[in-house]
Amino acid sequence: PRSTPYPTLFLYTTLFRSYWGTSLLGQAYAPGLWRFGVAVDRLLFLYCNNDRDVLWAAEEAVRSSAASTVVAELDSLDSIATRRLQLAAETSGTTVLALRAGGLTGSGSFADSRWRLTAWPRQAADTVCWRADLLRCRGGTAGQAWILQWHLAGLQAMEMPTAGNARAQAQGLQA
């Protein structure tokens, strides 16, 4: 992926809004992203009417090479549109992340990998933790899981303990 000065583009659909006008997946929160080292002055937000418009805007942004990363929040994935987006991303070198609420499955995707991220108990007050499950990986092995821990020093990834290692499981990230 390209680094600065290119911005990151977040694309949301108004169909993904709740009664209170917020995204079901949550919106990018600038102070939180800043704490993760994201240059918040390089973020662009675009709200679209539907998934088709989100995919169109994502493809245009990727083809223009004007964004380093495109994050698209979608309800469903159209296989033709996602294939076009994947080809555009490969050509331009732009990173594309498609976010789908609730781990929606069943629709085709040409993504190189598919992940499920879930919250994980944090180990200290200044950390944030997630469990990352690799559900699909083109040319790799799916079914693996990691614990991701973010703290002020950066991101740390650790493989999940195996089922046979009860002591490591009991200790969580301390293992």
Side-chain angles (χ1 to χ4, degrees), residues 22 59 115 121:
T22 58
E59 185 179 345
W115 296 82

Side-chain angles (χ1 to χ4, degrees), residues 27 92 97 104 125 131 144:
Q27 290 182 291
S92 70
L97 301 172
L104 299 172
R131 176 182 169 144
Q144 298 173 322

Side-chain angles (χ1 to χ4, degrees), residues 35 119-130 147-150 171 173-174:
R35 185 163 183 210
W120 191 259
R122 60 183 171 170
Q123 301 298 305
D126 64 342
T127 64
V128 180
C129 298
W130 303 274
I147 299 300
L148 306 176
Q149 177 177 282
W150 178 268
Q171 292 178 344
L173 290 176
Q174 304 300 323

